[in-house]
Amino acid sequence: MGGINPYNQSTEPVLPTQPYKVTFEPMGKTVEVDPKDFPYSDDGLPGSVLDIALGHGVEVDHACGGVCACSTCHVILDQGFETCQEAGEDEEDMLDTAPGLELKSRLACQAVPDGTGDLVVRIPSWNRNHAKEAPH
Ligand code: FES
């Protein structure tokens, strides 16, 4: 497959200009995002879902440090998927290696919402509580 999807938005992130909310599932934790506080963390694109999660104490695995070089930060944007910039080719390639891929899958470190709507972010079970897993 190749070519350009005419429905694609730009892959350049557009930062929000107003506060909005992100709910992380399944913990049901809702956080208020204020763009003037970006970046919240040192990992992922400023204003990305990973940046927002880490800045609010929500653990999302991010083995490569948020530079689009793994797929451990895979999340599903059950709401607000369309408020993020289109995934770039590098992100698409990494997502192809992620287990449990869904139509609204994104890499948390790359997906930057533009703040035009609230988000519901589902963190897959394989990406939760890694630190609590029993040693093998
Ligand atoms: S943390 Fe590695 S791709 Fe997002």
Side-chain angles (χ1 to χ4, degrees):
M1 290 246 300
I4 295 172
N5 181 338
Y7 299 103
N8 278 3
Q9 302 164 352
S10 166
T11 56
E12 280 299 310
V14 176
L15 289 174
T17 54
Q18 61 195 25
Y20 66 99
K21 290 190 175 72
V22 178
T23 300
F24 291 96
E25 299 289 4
M27 53 285 268
K29 177 170 179 164
T30 301
V31 303
E32 173 106 8
V33 178
D34 193 337
K36 73 176 173 4
D37 296 334
F38 290 161
Y40 283 114
S41 73
D42 294 332
D43 294 328
L45 294 177
S48 65
V49 172
L50 179 68
D51 183 34
I52 294 163
L54 297 178
H56 292 86
V58 176
E59 268 311 310
V60 174
D61 198 15
H62 51 290
C64 77
V67 296
C68 199
C70 71
S71 61
T72 57
C73 67
H74 171 209
V75 294
I76 296 119
L77 305 184
D78 282 327
Q79 183 186 315
F81 179 86
E82 66 288 345
T83 72
C84 298
Q85 91 281 27
E86 188 73 19
E89 217 169 289
D90 289 350
E91 181 179 349
E92 294 282 3
D93 287 349
M94 283 300 150
L95 273 173
D96 282 345
T97 70
L101 202 63
E102 297 191 20
L103 278 175
K104 294 185 174 181
S105 289
R106 290 296 303 262
L107 294 181
C109 68
Q110 301 300 305
V112 179
D114 65 10
T116 54
D118 293 341
L119 263 74
V120 175
V121 176
R122 182 161 33 105
I123 303 172
S125 56
W126 60 85
N127 195 348
R128 292 194 298 265
N129 300 327
H130 277 278
K132 291 180 188 158
E133 279 182 7
H136 298 284

